[in-house]
Amino acid sequence: MNILDLPAPEAARALVGKILIRRLPDGTELRVRITETEAYYGESDTACHACHGRTKRTEVLYHPAGTIYVYLCYGIHWMLNLVTGPADDPQAVLIRGVEGASGPGRVTKFLAIDKSLNDTRLGGALALEDDGYAPEKVTASPRVGIGYAAPEDQAKLWRFCAE
DNA sequence: AAAGTGATCATG
DNA sequence: ATGATCACTTTG
């Protein structure tokens, strides 16, 4: 069973501690462990981009598990998300932190990720590896930066950090 | 505490 | 075509 087939909140928790492999065009390979994630779960989640339905941008979220969703935020920062769950069911996990880079904008800078990876699949330029390691403790807390969402969605504990 | 930054989406 | 809105980071 692939982690990414799980519903986003479960996948987000399970991804903490897993390894992300980034293969650059020049052959360099970076391997980093994921330390922090956040789940965005379906059209009913008012914090999820797909809550306003399918658009050119959110189309990627409706793709099958394992699709990579990258978009630009605040005109400066790329955000890296991994699509989870079945096709036509928009869910994704935002990679908020990895070893060596804390903060979603820094992660993409550190791994040299930009929109060229959007709508591609894991297994190529970016891949996931499970080496069996599990963090001692994973803490759940409210998601950040979603003040526009409904209060009940802001209250969801869908941000996961490794201890 | 506040600004910088540009794609995206909803208006007209 | 124009304007509002951001799943953030850095600087003072």
Side-chain angles (χ1 to χ4, degrees), chain A residues 3 8-18 33-39 93-94 97 132-142 157-163:
Chain A
I3 293 174
E10 292 176 44
R13 169 170 240 134
L15 281 169
V16 175
K18 298 298 178 287
R33 206 175 283 283
I34 297 170
T35 56
E36 186 179 346
T37 63
E38 247 175 42
V93 175
L94 168 68
Y133 169 86
E136 291 279 323
K137 197 153 96 177
V138 176
T139 60
S141 55
L157 300 179
W158 284 349
R159 176 186 183 207
F160 301 96
C161 304
E163 281 295 294

Side-chain angles (χ1 to χ4, degrees), chain A residues 42-45 47-54 58 61-62 90-91:
Chain A
E43 290 174 350
S44 60
D45 174 8
C48 182
H49 284 166
C51 70
H52 294 114
R54 246 190 229 241
T58 61
L61 289 169
Y62 292 78
Q91 312 176 23

Side-chain angles (χ1 to χ4, degrees), chain A residues 105-154:
Chain A
R106 292 181 175 175
V107 167
T108 52
K109 186 180 174 192
F110 187 65
L111 296 178
I113 284 164
D114 65 13
K115 69 171 185 287
S116 67
L117 287 189
N118 188 45
D119 201 16
T120 63
R121 315 224 56 229
L122 283 174
L126 192 69
L128 207 53
E129 182 178 287
D130 183 354
D131 65 352
Y133 169 86
E136 291 279 323
K137 197 153 96 177
V138 176
T139 60
S141 55
R143 294 174 288 180
V144 300
I146 54 161
Y148 56 88
E152 64 266 29
D153 285 326
Q154 293 193 44

